[in-house]
Amino acid sequence: MSFVELDNIRVSYDQKQNILEELTISMEKGELVSLLGPSGCGKTTTLRVIAGLIEPNEGTFKVDQEELTHVPVHKRNFGMVFQSYALFPHLTIFDNVAFGLKLRKVSKSEIKRRVEEMLTVCGLENLGTRYPKQLSGGQRQRVALARALIIEPKLLLLDEPLSNLDAKLRVGMRIEIKRIQQQLGITTVFVTHDQEECFSISDKVAIMNKGVIEQYDTPEKIYRLPKTKFVAEFIGFENFFTINKQQDHYTLENGLVVESTISDLTQTQGIGTIRPEDIVVTASGPIKGTVLVRTFLGKSYQYEVETAIGTLLVTSDDTKIYEVQDEIHLALPKEKLVLLEG
């Protein structure tokens, strides 16, 4: 059995349109799982169901085989960190972190030991006597994290905790979150709309769309082998074309035979995709095209190329620079082609 299990969760606010549609997901103990998707896809609603802030219309939620679907939020013993740090401005950093332990009537000596230990884990040693207004944004975020972790929660829930930080701080804090999560071995659910942020720290990623999970896998697998067109577009694939199944091979719209490592089509036709940087410009490639637009990207150029299988985006280095209206030849490496479901 998995450590965290959501089974056939349905959430509807008006009984007309489901926010979550038969959502099922499982997480192993100690994993950091991210919920990723555009605004309105249901990722925050899923986190609120886990937290106990929303009770689902249907389905069950279990942690360590314990049924928690109808257990109120204050009895779940989960740690939560939100976009706003929600620190008490009139309390010192020590007292902010100790707040949950004081509510649980923990002894003063135990509070002192555990808070000092957690401040060290979160890189806040020697800051316990300061107040939130005396800290940087990154330090305040660490205080919020320390306060969530001090109660030794079964789950750590993070709802876009880095969205208020500038770009440099975000990179540093996501590394810190992963370090602390691994050090403590705590199962963590992380909600974000930032793909790079998500892929850099997650063990597993759930790509969500309109209340359902389109793909749930490791970041590496999703990046290389998206399952659906929605997932492919969301993570940066921009070239899509029809692939037809013949007896023992695939063909594109212009009849070009394609060798590929993609799995066999169960239907006679499917959608193929490839990243712009994976298309190769060659002297005599099988796909002939005309450059329509050239864009300078710094270390490379991106070309919009009109071909018999449609307009393709192609990224190439500056070894040879092509002009608008130049004719070029393209090759689609078989190991880079992806066949999408549906």
Side-chain angles (χ1 to χ4, degrees), residues 20-83:
L20 298 180
E21 184 85 49
E22 297 182 353
L23 184 140
T24 297
I25 189 172
S26 60
M27 309 170 194
E28 301 303 321
K29 189 174 179 62
E31 281 187 329
L32 193 158
V33 173
S34 288
L35 307 178
L36 177 67
S39 297
C41 70
K43 55 187 185 293
T44 295
T45 299
T46 302
L47 194 77
R48 291 172 70 84
V49 168
I50 294 172
L53 298 170
I54 294 176
E55 190 167 309
N57 301 77
E58 295 177 11
T60 58
F61 169 59
K62 295 180 181 179
V63 175
D64 201 13
Q65 301 185 43
E66 181 184 359
E67 169 76 55
L68 296 177
T69 312
H70 305 293
V71 174
V73 59
H74 63 279
K75 293 185 177 181
R76 296 196 179 194
N77 193 38
F78 296 166
M80 291 179 278
V81 180
F82 301 100
Q83 294 180 36

Side-chain angles (χ1 to χ4, degrees), residues 28 37-38 63 69 75 92 95 123 139 146 180 184 200 207 211 233 253 272 296 302 308 315-316:
E28 301 303 321
V63 175
T69 312
K75 293 185 177 181
T92 65
D95 289 333
Q139 288 171 327
I180 293 167
L184 300 179
S200 68
I207 307 285
E233 289 179 324
E253 285 122 317
F296 179 57
Q302 188 168 85
T315 301
S316 181

Side-chain angles (χ1 to χ4, degrees), residues 261-281:
T261 54
I262 54 182
S263 58
D264 289 340
L265 280 169
T266 55
Q267 67 271 30
T268 58
Q269 192 176 80
I271 299 174
T273 186
I274 189 169
R275 290 184 179 275
E277 61 270 24
D278 291 333
I279 297 177
V280 179
V281 181

Side-chain angles (χ1 to χ4, degrees), residues 48-245:
R48 291 172 70 84
V49 168
I50 294 172
L53 298 170
I54 294 176
E55 190 167 309
N57 301 77
E58 295 177 11
T60 58
F61 169 59
K62 295 180 181 179
V63 175
D64 201 13
Q65 301 185 43
E66 181 184 359
E67 169 76 55
L68 296 177
T69 312
H70 305 293
V71 174
V73 59
H74 63 279
K75 293 185 177 181
R76 296 196 179 194
N77 193 38
F78 296 166
M80 291 179 278
V81 180
F82 301 100
Q83 294 180 36
S84 60
Y85 313 125
L87 302 179
F88 300 111
H90 62 289
L91 297 181
T92 65
I93 300 310
F94 183 98
D95 289 333
N96 264 282
V97 176
F99 186 79
L101 297 180
K102 290 179 179 179
L103 288 179
R104 289 163 173 76
K105 312 290 186 186
V106 177
S107 68
K108 288 185 178 180
S109 60
E110 180 67 4
I111 287 176
K112 184 175 186 300
R113 182 190 70 79
R114 286 170 63 177
V115 170
E116 288 179 350
E117 182 179 275
M118 187 55 64
L119 290 177
T120 299
V121 168
C122 294
L124 297 166
E125 59 269 36
N126 303 321
L127 297 179
T129 58
R130 294 190 186 182
Y131 289 85
K133 67 180 180 181
Q134 296 174 305
L135 302 185
S136 67
Q139 288 171 327
R140 289 197 293 270
Q141 190 58 275
R142 291 183 190 180
V143 175
L145 190 59
R147 184 177 60 184
L149 292 168
I150 195 72
I151 61 172
E152 298 179 347
K154 283 187 175 182
L155 284 181
L156 176 63
L157 309 178
L158 307 174
D159 188 6
E160 304 213 33
L162 309 182
S163 61
N164 290 332
L165 303 179
D166 61 39
K168 187 174 181 180
L169 273 178
R170 286 173 74 108
V171 173
M173 271 307 300
R174 74 190 187 203
I175 294 172
E176 281 298 295
I177 287 174
K178 185 63 176 178
R179 178 187 65 78
I180 293 167
Q181 185 265 337
Q182 288 181 329
Q183 182 176 337
L184 300 179
I186 185 168
T187 309
T188 302
V189 184
F190 185 95
V191 165
T192 181
H193 63 274
D194 187 310
Q195 177 191 321
E196 180 182 338
E197 182 175 279
C198 165
F199 280 21
S200 68
I201 67 172
S202 304
D203 297 305
K204 293 276 189 66
V205 178
I207 307 285
M208 298 187 65
N209 178 32
K210 297 180 180 178
V212 301
I213 295 174
E214 295 248 346
Q215 188 168 354
Y216 182 47
D217 216 321
T218 63
E220 295 86 356
K221 191 74 174 290
I222 291 174
Y223 184 85
R224 293 177 183 138
L225 292 172
K227 285 187 175 181
T228 67
K229 187 176 181 183
F230 172 84
V231 174
E233 289 179 324
F234 190 77
I235 64 172
F237 283 80
E238 297 180 89
N239 297 309
F240 300 93
F241 36 82
T242 301
I243 291 182
N244 300 294
K245 182 182 180 181

